[in-house]
């Protein structure tokens, strides 16, 4: 409501003839601002003598004027609901329980929706929901709004209708039956009881049809071994929480090995309780998340890993199969075998070697140990593919035997090692159908490209682990003219009704004792657990055969999947492309990881250039068959086994991709015979590659107060003051604890809520799920490779990775303490910047520490950053004028300056540039404009929503209700968030724990983020 009241600045204004009135009207500031000097012609601008003080005054005035002008801005009218759905309350989030399995990743989820839009993935924590979302699943919410999705079915490359597609497929199947041609359903592993039943019915009605299952990243050797021993094609669902000694031979079980999802169980045993924690030995070529977490890591080639596995089998089973293990490893491997045998049922061994005999030996060793983590864990049904059957299908296609090929959930033109043969074969197929989310490499050359909905638009059921059942339910109506593969199968089977009806009817036999509505609400149903049955095989024969395997000529190439892109299904997802690899800290690329020794041998290197960017050499890879991959960027990787190199799959996609996301090289052509180990020769290709690397420093250089570490023995035998030393400062020429000295008066924060975030370095595996969850919750922009290279990444949460310079971080500290004199200091610290050949690795999540005595707050000239009574450091974006004083004064370097307008800007063609992509934005968090400082807010929108919910319900907040995006996403429990004024809260106990310390405590910032000393069981 407008007002005509007039307010007087001075009594002099009552006298219109007063000279003061004119001064007040014409001079807002006491000193005149020489605006003409810097806003005049462009030639005068360069030589402007305007002071910074004058500039800030002018900016302050113009901002105020713009704010007033905004009151008369355009009005955007929204359309209200004509009939508002009862389930939707504007401004209030709804959650749907669902599950996902895309043939590679799987999880039990809660999907947050706002006004009908899914905007965030959370973990389903109900009992029986055992699988949490990794970084890729958290990012899959953005893939729903991918503008490159296939929006309607196509026949021969032209838009069509579903009735035409159904008709054409039915005619083709009938024609195949009449001519005696094969009809092949070529799919990923389904793990869906209802879909498998549908396929079984289809095969029953079409005797000339068969079903071939294909996994882009094969586990066929492990499947074959399990089938040989137990008569069932499945994988062991290992339970790492039941193991006190873990031995991994080439298995990155904290990464993507056999589907992943083992980190939560592993972390349970890694936190020291009652003086005990599990011990972990890792033997591997590439540096992996599992190797980084291990207490002892042996860097060895796969040839040596095979010999080591046989040697361990000899020790555990008292066998005497001859091995040819390199002498440098024999003593260590012998210790491992002896400790594993002594551990008995509390021991567990796993292996990622793609060899049937190696996998049979793993089963044999676990059987002899009566391993609890093996025998009582059940079986997974997430990989069913057969290398032999896939190869036979390609041969049949080229022989003209396949009439109709119906594909779903796969992209063989991109992922098959012999994709050229597949492309030639598909030309000989009468009708090829690709059910695909995108017009990808396979769909684009198929007769029919059938557009399928995203899993968040779909119905399905899943049985990831035998005995467990979960539901996939849609959280939004389909955005495009899409249809599920299962609905088409129903039509082909001559059945009416939808796949939803089919699932509901089929589930009645599975969920006995519960109801459909209850399972739909919970998302999961826990049936009777199924343990591994009794089985046997010729174990000594497998050991003898494996021991005879020899290393090939040249270097050993180890193909793997990165934490960000996995098998490449979501290569068009900018959140994942910009996600820094936990080990190398490089984004927007795949590359050849090479040891320092081999890099020197082939004259390859990395260097940080003048602008701060990381550059590296190019290499040419040549396989024993003569296949070449040219201009592969090289990363010199500490810990890479000498004689081996690593290269990630999942990159090099070109079809249905935005130009900015077409990065890296396709390594699948090197994946010959679905073996991730290939023998190659290497040569320097010349030239330099520009990497987007977010972390230049590699080591701590002995700064043990950043990541505090100790051994389990010292932890158990020494007082906390010894292994968790408090920093001291000088006061009146006396050393006193830093926490006892303060520049500010203390403030009483015992009233109301006071939030703390705890990070346990023992439980953190560096997986990065928290990083992507933070992106989704807080509308963090993607800036692209060029800006990342300029150190302008916008991640509110980073996970620092450090290598030791010596063999261990303890060795680094000891070397630093023995420095004497200036010259020794300079030379030693220079050497300590270089990582060791096989270093220890530590991860440390770092975000805004929300300091109670925050140095950023004291230097902000416009009070844009301030502290709340609840312990959160606030940012008032509208006050920020971009001086960046706060970033310069922050000892943790966690503040991000928003250099550009990333929203609705064609220069940054990611999700914020189109209307579809912007549907993922969280309406509770504003989208920042350029020129302001961004940082972690400790998810204040989430804490306030929790407080308001409890207030409306007339109750106090219960411990566990307060969450941040990162703590919610952390399946390992490394991050715990809560109110320390709640004396019964878990966070209160963690703050009082002996392992607790603050990052850079000696600075005196009094952070509200706490860390826990890392304990290694060495």
């Amino acid at each position: 409501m407008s007002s005509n009241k007039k307010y007087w600045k001075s009594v002099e204004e009552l006298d219109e003839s007063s000279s003061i009135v004119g001064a007040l009207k014409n001079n807002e500031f006491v000193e005149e601002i020489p605006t003409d000097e810097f806003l005049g012609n462009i030639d005068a601008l360069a030589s402007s003598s305007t002071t910074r003080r004058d500039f800030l005054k002018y900016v302050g005035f113009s901002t105020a004027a713009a704010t007033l002008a905004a009151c008369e801005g355009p009005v955007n009218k929204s359309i209200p609901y004509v009939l508002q759905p009862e389930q939707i309350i504007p401004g209030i989030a709804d959650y749907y329980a669902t599950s996902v399995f895309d043939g590679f990743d799987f999880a039990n989820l809660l999907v947050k929706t706002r006004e009908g839009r899914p905007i965030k993935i959370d973990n389903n924590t109900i009992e029986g929901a055992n699988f949490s979302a990794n970084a890729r699943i958290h990012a899959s919410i953005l893939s729903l709004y991918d503008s490159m999705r296939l929006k309607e079915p196509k026949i021969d490359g032209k838009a069509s209708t579903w009735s035409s597609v159904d008709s054409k497929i039915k005619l083709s199947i009938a024609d195949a039956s009449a001519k005696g041609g094969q009809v092949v359903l070529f799919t990923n592993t389904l793990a869906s009881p209802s879909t498998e039943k549908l396929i079984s019915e289809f095969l029953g009605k079409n005797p000339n049809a068969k079903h071939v299952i294909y996994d882009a990243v094969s586990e066929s050797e492990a499947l074959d071994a399990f089938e040989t021993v137990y008569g069932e094609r499945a994988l062991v669902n290992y339970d790492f929480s039941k193991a006190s000694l873990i031995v991994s031979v080439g298995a990155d079980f904290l990464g993507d090995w056999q589907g992943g999802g083992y980190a939560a169980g592993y972390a349970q045993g890694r936190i020291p309780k009652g003086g005990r924690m599990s011990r972990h030995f890792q033997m591997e070529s590439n540096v992996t998340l599992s190797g980084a977490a291990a207490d002892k890591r042996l860097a060895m080639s796969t040839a040596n890993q095979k010999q080591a596995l046989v040697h361990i089998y000899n020790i555990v089973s008292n066998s005497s199969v001859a091995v040819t293990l390199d002498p440098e490893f024999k003593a260590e491997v012998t210790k491992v075998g002896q400790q594993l045998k002594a551990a008995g049922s509390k021991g567990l061994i796993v292996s990622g070697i793609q060899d049937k005999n190696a996998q049979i030996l793993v089963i044999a060793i676990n059987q002899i140990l009566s391993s609890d983590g093996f025998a009582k864990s059940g079986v997974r049904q997430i990989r069913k593919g057969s290398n032999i059957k896939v190869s036979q299908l390609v041969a049949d296609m080229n022989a003209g035997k396949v009439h109709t090929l119906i594909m779903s959930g796969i992209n063989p033109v991109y992922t098959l090692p012999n994709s050229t043969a597949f492309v030639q074969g598909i030309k000989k197929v009468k009708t090829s159908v690709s059910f695909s989310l995108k017009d990808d490499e396979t769909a684009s050359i198929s007769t029919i490209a059938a557009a399928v909905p995203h899993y968040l638009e779909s119905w399905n059921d899943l049985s990831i682990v035998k005995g467990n059942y979960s539901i996939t339910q849609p959280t939004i109506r389909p955005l495009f003219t899409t249809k599920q593969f299962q609905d088409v199968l129903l039509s082909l089977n001559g059945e009416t009704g939808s796949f939803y009806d089919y699932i509901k009817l089929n589930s009645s036999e599975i969920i006995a004792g519960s109801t459909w509505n209850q399972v739909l609400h919970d998302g999961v149903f826990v049936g009777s657990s199924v343990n591994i049955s009794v089985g046997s095989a010729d174990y000594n024969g497998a050991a003898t055969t494996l021991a005879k395997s020899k290393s090939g000529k040249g270097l050993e190439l180890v193909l793997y999947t990165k934490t960000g892109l996995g098998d490449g299904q979501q290569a068009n997802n900018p959140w994942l492309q910009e996600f820094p690899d936990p080990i190398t800290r490089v984004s927007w690329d795949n590359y050849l990881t090479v040891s320092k020794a081999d890099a020197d041998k082939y004259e390859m290197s990395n260097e940080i250039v003048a602008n701060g960017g990381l550059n590296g050499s190019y290499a040419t890879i040549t396989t024993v068959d003569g296949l070449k991959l040219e201009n592969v960027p090289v990363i010199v990787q500490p810990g890479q086994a000498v004689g081996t190199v690593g290269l990630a799959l999942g990159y090099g996609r070109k079809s249905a991709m935005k130009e900015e996301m077409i990065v890296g090289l396709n390594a699948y052509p090197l994946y010959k015979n679905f073996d991730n180990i290939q023998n190659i020769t290497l040569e320097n290709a010349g030239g330099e590659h520009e990497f987007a690397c977010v972390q230049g420093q590699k080591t701590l250089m002995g700064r043990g107060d950043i990541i505090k570490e100790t051994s389990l023995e010292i932890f158990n035998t020494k007082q906390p003051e010894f292994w968790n030393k408090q920093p001291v400062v000088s006061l009146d020429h006396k050393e006193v604890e830093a926490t006892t000295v303060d520049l500010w008066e203390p403030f009483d924060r015992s009233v109301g809520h006071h939030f703390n975030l705890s990070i346990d370095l023992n439980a953190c595996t560096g997986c990065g799920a928290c990083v992507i969850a933070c992106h989704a919750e807080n509308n963090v922009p993607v800036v692209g490779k060029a800006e990342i290279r300029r150190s302008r990444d916008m991640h509110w949460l980073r996970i620092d990775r450090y290598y030791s310079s010596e063999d261990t971080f303890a060795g680094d500290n000891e070397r630093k303490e023995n420095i004497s004199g200036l010259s020794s200091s300079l030379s030693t610290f220079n050497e300590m910047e270089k990582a060791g050949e096989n270093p220890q690795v530590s991860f440390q999540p770092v975000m805004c520490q929300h300091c109670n005595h925050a140095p950023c707050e004291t230097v902000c000239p416009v009070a844009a950053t301030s502290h709340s009574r609840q312990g959160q450091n606030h940012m008032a974006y509208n006050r920020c004028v971009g001086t960046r004083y706060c970033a310069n004064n922050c000892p943790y370097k966690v503040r991000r300056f928003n250099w550009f307008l990333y929203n609705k800007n064609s220069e940054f063609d990611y999700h914020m540039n189109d209307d579809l992509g912007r549907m993922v934005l969280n309406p509770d968090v504003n989208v920042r404009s350029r020129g302001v400082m961004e940082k972690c807010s400790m998810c204040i929108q989430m804490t306030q929503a929790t407080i308001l919910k409890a207030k409306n319900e007339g109750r106090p907040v219960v411990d566990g209700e307060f969450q941040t995006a990162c703590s919610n996403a952390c399946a390992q429990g490394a991050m715990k968030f809560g109110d320390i004024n709640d004396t019964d809260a878990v966070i209160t106990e963690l703050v009082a724990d002996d392992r607790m310390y603050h990052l850079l405590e000696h600075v005196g910032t009094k952070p509200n983020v706490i860390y826990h000393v890392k304990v290694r069981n060495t």
Side-chain angles (χ1 to χ4, degrees), residues 473-635:
Q473 66 168 315
T475 59
I476 187 174
R477 293 189 66 178
L479 297 172
F480 307 115
T481 311
T482 55
K483 199 169 185 178
Q484 286 187 237
F485 167 62
Q486 293 91 338
D487 280 312
V488 174
L489 268 183
L490 279 168
S491 176
L492 297 179
N493 288 347
E495 298 184 30
T496 57
S498 66
F499 187 50
Y500 164 78
D501 299 322
Y502 190 89
I503 294 172
K504 189 174 180 180
L505 181 64
N506 193 45
S507 69
S508 59
E509 302 174 6
I510 302 171
I511 60 172
S514 186
T515 64
W516 169 257
N517 285 342
Q518 186 64 50
V519 175
L520 195 60
H521 172 271
D522 295 346
V524 296
F525 170 78
V526 182
S528 55
S529 60
V530 181
N531 291 336
I532 295 175
S533 59
V534 177
S536 63
D538 181 7
Y539 299 137
N540 277 344
T544 302
T545 304
L546 188 65
K548 291 178 181 177
S549 59
K550 304 292 183 182
S551 57
K553 295 181 180 179
L555 291 171
E556 188 179 276
L557 171 66
V558 183
L559 299 170
Y560 68 101
T561 55
K562 285 178 70 172
T563 307
L565 281 196
D567 64 350
Q569 289 186 53
Q570 295 191 76
N572 202 46
N573 191 311
W575 287 352
L576 295 176
Q577 289 282 10
E578 192 147 296
F579 172 73
D581 181 77
I583 301 296
T584 62
R585 308 292 287 136
V586 173
S587 60
W588 293 100
D589 256 318
N590 65 337
Y591 34 75
L592 199 68
T593 55
V594 182
S595 69
K596 181 69 167 62
D598 287 327
D600 291 342
K601 178 181 177 180
Y602 292 98
E603 298 181 339
M604 297 173 181
S605 63
N606 290 144
E607 64 173 337
I608 296 177
V609 293
N611 66 358
L614 178 70
N615 286 7
S617 305
Y618 281 114
T620 297
I621 295 172
T622 307
T623 68
V624 292
D625 297 324
L627 179 64
K628 280 193 175 185
L629 194 60
E630 298 180 335
N631 293 328
V632 186
V634 171
I635 287 285

Side-chain angles (χ1 to χ4, degrees), residues 31 110 120 196 370 469 669 690 711 727 812 846 869 923 925 943:
E31 302 173 32
L110 283 180
K120 187 167 183 293
E196 288 171 355
S370 298
Y469 182 74
E690 296 184 347
S711 67
D812 288 5
V846 182
R869 191 180 190 93
V925 179
T943 55

Side-chain angles (χ1 to χ4, degrees), residues 84 108 166 177 568 583 591 715 739 777 783 871:
Q84 181 177 323
N108 304 122
D166 284 352
S177 179
I583 301 296
Y591 34 75
F715 178 77
T739 53
E777 175 67 28
V783 301

Side-chain angles (χ1 to χ4, degrees), residues 84 307 560 644 787:
Q84 181 177 323
Q307 300 299 323
Y560 68 101
T644 71
E787 292 302 301

